[in-house]
Amino acid sequence: MAAHASVPATSHRTAHQLSRAVLAVPVVLGVAYGLYTFANQRGGGAITGGQIVLGIVSGLAVMALGIGLLSIQSALPRELRAGAYGTLFGAAMGFLYSLSDHSVLKSSGMGAIFGGAMFLVSFYVFYTHED
């Protein structure tokens, strides 16, 4: 028996695979974040190995978390997806703020403010662009 005409043809690409263009975004953001972390920690002084390691590790962490979030975002409802983006952004900004010799409480507060703002913006975008 032949298949019905409305059966879609099989594709070589699954829904969970990410394109190279989509993967480029967290890679570029991770490199920029690592460079900014290095420059922020350096503060115009001499370059040390610890500053280089801090920049590389923080950039790789943001890159890995961004790729991980991109790979699971389609399985999340819009509220959790917006919360995940807000949490990632807030934690990243709070860490950068802490490198400028601010207290943990002030850095956490700034991270929460930035994360809350990112949650609101991303929730609005996901809500208005939902299929």
Side-chain angles (χ1 to χ4, degrees), residues 42-82:
R42 182 174 172 226
I47 297 173
T48 64
Q51 296 165 347
I52 294 171
V53 169
L54 177 68
I56 291 172
V57 169
S58 61
L60 286 175
V62 166
M63 187 184 314
L65 290 171
I67 290 171
L69 184 56
L70 280 176
S71 66
I72 66 165
Q73 77 173 354
S74 61
L76 297 174
R78 64 177 171 249
E79 295 86 4
L80 288 177
R81 193 177 340 156

Side-chain angles (χ1 to χ4, degrees), residues 35-126:
L35 288 172
Y36 190 78
T37 303
F38 165 73
N40 196 2
Q41 186 65 24
R42 182 174 172 226
I47 297 173
T48 64
Q51 296 165 347
I52 294 171
V53 169
L54 177 68
I56 291 172
V57 169
S58 61
L60 286 175
V62 166
M63 187 184 314
L65 290 171
I67 290 171
L69 184 56
L70 280 176
S71 66
I72 66 165
Q73 77 173 354
S74 61
L76 297 174
R78 64 177 171 249
E79 295 86 4
L80 288 177
R81 193 177 340 156
Y85 277 104
T87 300
L88 178 60
F89 186 72
M93 292 300 108
F95 176 70
L96 283 180
Y97 193 73
S98 73
L99 292 179
S100 300
D101 294 329
H102 291 94
S103 70
V104 173
L105 185 61
K106 193 169 185 178
S107 300
S108 300
M110 290 302 290
I113 290 169
F114 279 111
M118 178 59 122
F119 170 78
L120 292 174
V121 169
S122 59
F123 180 77
Y124 174 77
V125 169
F126 296 144

